[in-house]
Amino acid sequence: MLTVHHLNQSRSQRVLWALEELGVPYQIVRYQREKSMLAPESLKKVHPLGKSPVVEDNGLILAESGAILEYLQETYDLQQRFKPQETKQKLDYRFWLHYAEGSLMPLLLMKLVMNSLGKPPVPFGIRSIGKLLAQGVDKAFLKQQIENHARFIEGELAQHSWFVGNQLSMADIQMSFPVFALLSRGGVDDLPNLRAWKKRVEMRPAWQRAIVQGGPFALPGG
């Protein structure tokens, strides 16, 4: 049986969602974040990077969310329900699979790191400096960049219900983590299409089953 090495509050939640949508049986090996919010060292026994998700299937060990989702679609989506077949949509599909972690998520991670500079565990004596640094970076770079990406996605979702047309695909599952992070910590207002997309995700029975399996999912704000 396929095994998911699942870290709480992590990207592995979208792998559970994908498996629930596909109806593929799986088992979970659970890991809890350390106080530092990093993954435990025990994950390195599964994959050298010590990150989640990691999937074991048919003797294969797979890492990286996008690669895992592509593998699951190619292996188990026999009716091609979660990958579009029309040429333009296939290109859009590929774009969102790479955009999620290649362009959007680095900005949101940077914002999370910057906003933590004024808080524990940063030593008390330099928190004020850290806070000022974070404010400067946000004003000079992050705020404008994140808003630009948010407006881009908002415009795309004004055209159709899901990221590639009007049918859920693995592109939506890949985009779920950065979109939830964007709405939680991005600091961008007036995103009705993004919020409507998030609501559609949360209403899906497969998403709800994945939450039951993986545990509560609420990304920290910035």
Side-chain angles (χ1 to χ4, degrees), residues 2-74:
L2 186 149
T3 299
V4 180
H5 293 269
H6 171 65
L7 178 67
N8 66 306
Q9 303 281 27
S10 79
R11 290 162 170 81
S12 55
Q13 187 65 43
R14 56 190 173 189
V15 174
L16 300 182
W17 179 21
L19 290 167
E20 291 291 344
E21 292 283 359
L22 290 164
V24 176
Y26 62 94
Q27 61 185 0
I28 300 177
V29 179
R30 302 177 190 278
Y31 303 81
Q32 291 293 315
R33 292 184 181 275
E34 306 285 357
K35 290 182 179 179
S36 64
M37 294 305 293
L38 297 176
E41 285 291 311
S42 54
L43 258 172
K44 289 186 177 179
K45 296 178 182 178
V46 185
H47 189 278
L49 292 178
K51 303 292 184 182
S52 179
V54 175
V55 165
E56 295 183 73
D57 190 34
N58 295 319
L60 301 172
I61 297 179
L62 307 167
E64 286 296 331
S65 299
I68 292 171
L69 294 182
E70 286 194 272
Y71 168 81
L72 293 177
Q73 189 281 318
E74 292 169 359

Side-chain angles (χ1 to χ4, degrees), residues 141-201:
F141 174 72
L142 276 179
K143 184 176 180 180
Q144 180 180 355
Q145 287 294 317
I146 290 173
E147 176 147 1
N148 185 44
H149 282 266
R151 299 302 173 202
F152 165 66
I153 301 169
E154 177 73 8
E156 292 294 310
L157 288 175
Q159 302 175 48
H160 29 69
S161 301
W162 300 100
F163 274 94
V164 186
N166 291 313
Q167 183 173 332
L168 178 84
S169 72
M170 287 294 176
D172 294 280
I173 296 176
Q174 176 73 341
M175 283 294 293
S176 62
F177 191 87
V179 168
F180 276 56
L182 174 63
L183 293 175
S184 174
R185 72 177 74 125
V188 182
D189 297 324
D190 190 25
L191 298 172
N193 296 319
L194 268 167
R195 296 192 183 280
W197 176 90
K198 180 175 182 285
K199 186 174 182 179
R200 284 193 290 275
V201 168

Side-chain angles (χ1 to χ4, degrees), residues 74-91:
E74 292 169 359
T75 306
Y76 294 106
D77 183 17
L78 302 181
Q79 297 179 342
Q80 300 294 307
R81 292 187 299 132
F82 298 102
K83 180 180 179 179
Q85 298 305 303
E86 189 268 327
T87 300
K88 171 62 166 59
Q89 288 192 337
K90 280 200 284 189
L91 292 174

